Amino acid sequence: TVPYVNETIPFGKGRGRVSLGQDLRLAMVLRKRRFDLSIIFPRSFRSAFQVYLAGIPIRIGFRDEGRSLLLTHRVSRTEDLLQIHRTRYYEKLLEPLGGCSSSRPPRIDLGEGERVWARERLKGLTEGFLIGMNPGATYGLAKCWPLERFGELGKRVAQRWGAKVLLFGKQEERPMGEQIAERMGPGGINLMGETNLLQLAALLERCHVLVTNDTGTMHVAAAVGTRVVALFGSTNPRTTGPCGEGHTVVKRDVSCSPCLKRVCPTDHRCMNLITVEEVEAVVDGKLKEVTHRSR
């Protein structure tokens, strides 16, 4: 949870006439709240249109998608802005309010309820190291390290460190998790599809390290203070890498990366060149640091 968020207001994302009806209903909900200011993170026309319909007097957003007339304060997306981390990128929207004098990595503050749930879910697994793995990625297969390498890495880490490896992902990725867990043996535990977002965060907080592709789970882990080993290929760690200290990005410099494609049109060399041995060495280093700190 985030202590400075009072409420979340969900809305639909239909198309055509359905979309217009949803926009009008959302506008009515927002208008009743009598908000003074809106910072619009998405760059779509629709997001600005919804806030405009709500009559919110101060509307800040990026100058895009032909929506400038719907905004009261327009922020330009310059070329150099596109090359910085997305957290700094969105801080640019604060400039009309005086800017951001100092910034810290994003942080998720968990409640005791989530932590109790995580302790109960992991009962019997608290001895030794807990390693998280997220082998999937929403944006596309181009971001993914081969499944068999996740399985082999988990098997090695479990044997070397006596660790349990927790597999995270969506419900539809669960068969993938079963395949990886089978390769790992008794050290692998498939938790794909078993958590909501806060439960995921609570489990990640209990992990000593998370090994992951470029995913939202990577950012959740960093935000609860878990060290991340992030595998990057088609995307750019300079703009979407994990925030904070203690994280390591594993990446091979190839001419076609970052391509930002969903599916690799060639040989997926950016990820295939990353070996199990080099990722294992990074994980070993982080677990040695944990061991040293606990003495």
Side-chain angles (χ1 to χ4, degrees):
T1 56
V2 183
Y4 40 82
V5 173
N6 302 104
E7 181 183 10
T8 58
I9 303 173
F11 63 93
K13 296 184 69 175
R15 296 179 179 275
R17 292 180 179 177
V18 173
S19 170
L20 181 58
Q22 291 171 336
D23 292 345
L24 291 172
R25 285 192 292 274
L26 176 61
M28 291 176 62
V29 170
L30 297 179
R31 189 177 286 271
K32 289 178 181 178
R33 300 292 201 285
R34 301 179 66 85
F35 291 115
D36 299 304
L37 177 150
S38 174
I39 299 175
I40 308 167
F41 291 96
R43 292 169 25 234
S44 66
F45 179 88
R46 183 182 182 187
S47 60
F49 182 59
Q50 292 168 334
V51 174
Y52 176 81
L53 286 177
I56 298 175
I58 302 174
R59 303 180 297 277
I60 303 171
F62 286 116
R63 188 193 304 269
D64 269 306
E65 303 290 337
R67 63 189 198 154
S68 289
L69 292 177
L70 304 176
L71 304 172
T72 59
H73 297 75
R74 306 161 191 87
V75 178
S76 297
R77 294 174 68 242
T78 57
E79 187 60 33
D80 62 323
L81 188 60
L82 301 179
Q83 304 305 316
I84 63 176
H85 198 276
R86 284 293 175 263
T87 54
R88 309 288 88 81
Y89 167 90
Y90 285 115
E91 283 177 0
K92 187 77 172 177
L93 291 172
L94 299 178
E95 282 194 352
L97 302 174
C100 183
S101 58
S102 64
S103 59
R104 293 174 295 177
R107 181 76 189 170
I108 294 175
D109 298 308
L110 292 169
E112 187 57 27
E114 288 86 26
R115 290 193 169 106
V116 169
W117 179 90
R119 285 198 295 270
E120 289 298 314
R121 182 63 183 83
L122 297 176
K123 185 174 289 186
L125 301 177
T126 54
E127 296 296 326
F129 289 108
L130 285 178
I131 309 298
M133 284 191 178
N134 196 109
T138 298
Y139 184 78
L141 292 175
K143 295 169 68 173
C144 296
W145 200 41
L147 297 185
E148 63 272 14
R149 298 190 191 182
F150 273 106
E152 179 62 23
L153 174 67
K155 181 179 179 180
R156 294 186 187 187
V157 172
Q159 290 176 347
R160 175 173 168 78
W161 293 92
K164 295 296 184 183
V165 181
L166 311 181
L167 295 168
F168 300 112
K170 299 177 293 186
Q171 178 63 44
E172 54 266 36
E173 295 172 332
R174 190 166 180 82
M176 172 203 307
E178 295 293 349
Q179 179 183 338
I180 297 172
E182 183 178 357
R183 189 179 185 94
M184 290 181 189
I189 301 170
N190 187 9
L191 298 176
M192 292 185 174
E194 294 189 10
T195 65
N196 61 33
L197 186 58
L198 287 177
Q199 290 169 345
L200 170 64
L203 290 176
L204 287 169
E205 187 183 49
R206 307 276 295 185
C207 291
H208 295 92
V209 178
L210 173 73
V211 183
T212 178
N213 301 315
D214 177 15
T215 64
T217 300
M218 172 186 73
H219 295 296
V220 174
V224 294
T226 297
R227 296 191 174 203
V228 171
V229 178
L231 313 178
F232 270 75
S234 63
T235 50
N236 188 352
R238 184 167 62 180
T239 58
T240 60
C243 293
E245 301 295 327
H247 312 304
T248 300
V249 170
V250 181
K251 185 180 188 301
R252 287 299 185 90
D253 292 325
V254 296
S255 60
C256 52
S257 173
C259 66
L260 306 183
K261 295 183 183 297
R262 288 182 179 270
V263 178
C264 178
T266 56
D267 56 6
H268 206 201
R269 72 190 68 172
C270 61
M271 297 304 268
N272 286 331
L273 287 173
I274 298 174
T275 67
V276 173
E277 289 73 19
E278 65 182 307
V279 181
E280 181 185 13
V282 176
V283 174
D284 282 352
K286 294 197 178 300
L287 295 182
K288 287 175 182 176
E289 289 175 9
V290 173
T291 302
H292 180 74
R293 289 199 306 270
S294 63
R295 287 176 181 170

